C-alpha cells in the first residue's frame, strides 16, 4: 500500500468523486471568538463537497477535559467515526475553509488513531469553489462504516513532560501562535488565560507557513524554521493555543521529512490557565 501525498489537488479529487475507496471529510472550524458571529455547521449545511460528512473537531474532542479540543480516547473516536460513516481502510481526504487552519488537525487525529491513508485537499473549500467544481447542500447521511483503531502514528506530550524539557532541554518547543501572543503583548482570545509563553520555547506562527490553503515551498519553510532557531536534528514539540494550529507546524515539518515531532495537546489552553507552571512574558520584562 503506497502512502498518499500530504496534499491532493482539487482536480485530482474531482475526477474521483465516485471512487468508493476515497472518502471526503469536511473539517471546517472557527478560530476562538468567531463563534459569536458565524455558525460553521450552518455554513456546512449550505455548501460542502459532495458526500462529505462534517468532521466536527470540537464535538470529537474529550469533553471530560477542562481544556479545549483535547484528543478523545481511542474507543470514543472509533465509535464516532463508525457512526459518521468513516471507514479506516479508505483513503480519507480532509478539507477546511481554505486557510489550512483546521484540516491539519483532522489529518493528525485520523493518523494518530491509525488511519494509513489521509490527505488534505490543497486550497480547501475556497480552492474548490474557485475551480467551479460541484457542491452539495444539506446533511450527508452515510451508512455506518468499519473503523478500526490502529497503532498511533504520532506522539502526544503532557504538561509534566513539557515542563521537564522547558527546564532541562533535550528537545525544542515550537509555539505556533502569533508573535504578539507569544510575546505577551495582547490578551489571549480565550478568556482567563495568562499572557506569555513557555520558557525556552521558539515562535513559528502557523500562518507564516501557509499560502492560499497550501504549505509554502520547501525552501521557504526551511528558511522560516531556520530564522526562528529551529534545529531539525533535535526532538521537536509543537504547541499553540489549543492544539489545532500546532499541527500546521507538524504538517510543515512532516513535509520536510523531519522526524521525532510531538504535539503538546494541552498547549496554551492548559499552560496559560494554570498558576503552577512557569511563564515568560516579554512585554512585562521590557
Amino acid at each position: 500500500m503506497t502512502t498518499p501525498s500530504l496534499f491532493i489537488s482539487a482536480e485530482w479529487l474531482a475526477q474521483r468523486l465516485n471512487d468508493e475507496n476515497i472518502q471526503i471529510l469536511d473539517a471546517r472550524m472557527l478560530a476562538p471568538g468567531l463563534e459569536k458571529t458565524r455558525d460553521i455547521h450552518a455554513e456546512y449545511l449550505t455548501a460542502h463537497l459532495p458526500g462529505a460528512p462534517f468532521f466536527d473537531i470540537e464535538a470529537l474532542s474529550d469533553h471530560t477535559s477542562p481544556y479545549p479540543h483535547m484528543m478523545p480516547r481511542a474507543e470514543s473516536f472509533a465509535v464516532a467515526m463508525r457512526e459518521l460513516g468513516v471507514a479506516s481502510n479508505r483513503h480519507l481526504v480532509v478539507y477546511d475553509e481554505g486557510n489550512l487552519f483546521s484540516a491539519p488537525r483532522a489529518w493528525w487525529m485520523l493518523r494518530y488513531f491509525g488511519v494509513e491513508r489521509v490527505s488534505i485537499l490543497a486550497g480547501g473549500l475556497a480552492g474548490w469553489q474557485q475551480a467551479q467544481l460541484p457542491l452539495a447542500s444539506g446533511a450527508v447521511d452515510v451508512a455506518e462504516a468499519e473503523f478500526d483503531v490502529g497503532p498511533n502514528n504520532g506522539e502526544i506530550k503532557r504538561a509534566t513532560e513539557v515542563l521537564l524539557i522547558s527546564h532541562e532541554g533535550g528537545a525544542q518547543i515550537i509555539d505556533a501562535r502569533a508573535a504578539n501572543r507569544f510575546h505577551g503583548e495582547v490578551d489571549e482570545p480565550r478568556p482567563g488565560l495568562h499572557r506569555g509563553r513557555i520558557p525556552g520555547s521558539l515562535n513559528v506562527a502557523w500562518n507564516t507557513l501557509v499560502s492560499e490553503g497550501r504549505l509554502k515551498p520547501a525552501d521557504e519553510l526551511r528558511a522560516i524554521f531556520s530564522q526562528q532557531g529551529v534545529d531539525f536534528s533535535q526532538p521537536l514539540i509543537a504547541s499553540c493555543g489549543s492544539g489545532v494550529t500546532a499541527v500546521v507546524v507538524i504538517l510543515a515539518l512532516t513535509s520536510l521529512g523531519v522526524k521525532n515531532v510531538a504535539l503538546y495537546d494541552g498547549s496554551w489552553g492548559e499552560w496559560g490557565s494554570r498558576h503552577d507552571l512557569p511563564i515568560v512574558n516579554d512585554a512585562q520584562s521590557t
Side-chain angles (χ1 to χ4, degrees):
M1 184 184 294
T2 58
T3 302
S5 55
L6 289 178
F7 288 90
I8 53 100
S9 70
E11 294 72 25
W12 185 93
L13 185 59
Q15 293 168 3
R16 293 165 176 81
L17 283 177
N18 297 317
D19 187 335
E20 292 185 357
N21 291 314
I22 293 172
Q23 186 164 18
I24 309 168
L25 302 174
D26 188 309
R28 277 179 274 181
M29 181 185 188
L30 295 174
L34 292 180
E35 303 94 338
K36 297 167 186 169
T37 55
R38 292 174 57 190
D39 182 341
I40 200 70
H41 193 255
E43 292 178 26
Y44 160 79
L45 292 173
T46 299
H48 53 75
L49 267 65
F54 189 51
F55 185 96
D56 189 335
I57 291 170
E58 175 55 44
L60 291 167
S61 61
D62 178 7
H63 291 282
T64 66
S65 170
Y67 310 118
H69 322 310
M70 296 292 281
M71 287 288 280
R73 292 183 309 127
E75 302 80 16
S76 304
F77 187 78
V79 169
M81 290 300 98
R82 289 174 197 138
E83 291 175 350
L84 200 59
V86 178
S88 54
N89 63 350
R90 287 182 178 145
H91 180 183
L92 303 182
V93 178
V94 297
Y95 72 90
D96 55 27
E97 289 186 87
N99 49 6
L100 205 62
F101 172 74
S102 55
R105 174 72 182 195
W107 165 85
W108 198 89
M109 291 174 76
L110 291 161
R111 279 168 44 87
Y112 182 80
F113 288 120
V115 179
E116 293 186 11
R117 295 179 294 166
V118 191
S119 299
I120 296 170
L121 174 61
L125 179 63
W128 186 267
Q129 289 173 312
Q130 285 165 8
Q132 298 183 320
L133 293 166
L135 290 166
S137 61
V140 173
D141 187 19
V142 186
E144 190 164 309
E146 281 297 313
F147 191 97
D148 298 316
V149 173
N152 291 353
N153 188 349
E155 184 183 1
I156 291 174
K157 294 290 187 185
R158 309 295 176 197
T160 49
E161 297 169 289
V162 176
L163 177 63
L164 187 65
I165 287 162
S166 173
H167 269 305
E168 299 183 4
Q172 288 188 320
I173 303 163
I174 305 174
D175 190 322
R177 292 176 300 157
N180 57 358
R181 291 169 62 189
F182 177 82
H183 292 296
E185 296 163 356
V186 295
D187 285 336
E188 285 292 303
R190 290 183 180 82
L193 300 183
H194 301 297
R195 290 185 182 193
R197 59 183 172 88
I198 300 170
S201 56
L202 306 171
N203 187 212
V204 180
W206 72 275
N207 57 356
T208 64
L209 305 170
V210 174
S211 177
E212 296 182 348
R214 297 167 171 82
L215 290 173
K216 290 179 178 177
D219 56 344
E220 291 184 36
L221 295 178
R222 287 192 193 94
I224 292 166
F225 283 115
S226 176
Q227 286 162 9
Q228 299 307 109
V230 177
D231 178 359
F232 291 164
S233 69
Q234 290 195 42
L236 302 171
I237 301 168
S239 178
C240 61
S242 67
V244 174
T245 57
V247 184
V248 180
V249 169
I250 294 175
L251 183 73
L253 292 167
T254 302
S255 77
L256 296 174
V258 179
K259 309 292 185 187
N260 205 354
V261 183
L263 172 68
Y264 171 31
D265 199 32
S267 286
W268 199 252
E270 177 181 23
W271 197 281
S273 71
R274 289 175 53 172
H275 301 283
D276 60 338
L277 295 171
I279 289 173
V280 173
N281 186 329
D282 298 322
Q284 284 183 346
S285 58
T286 54

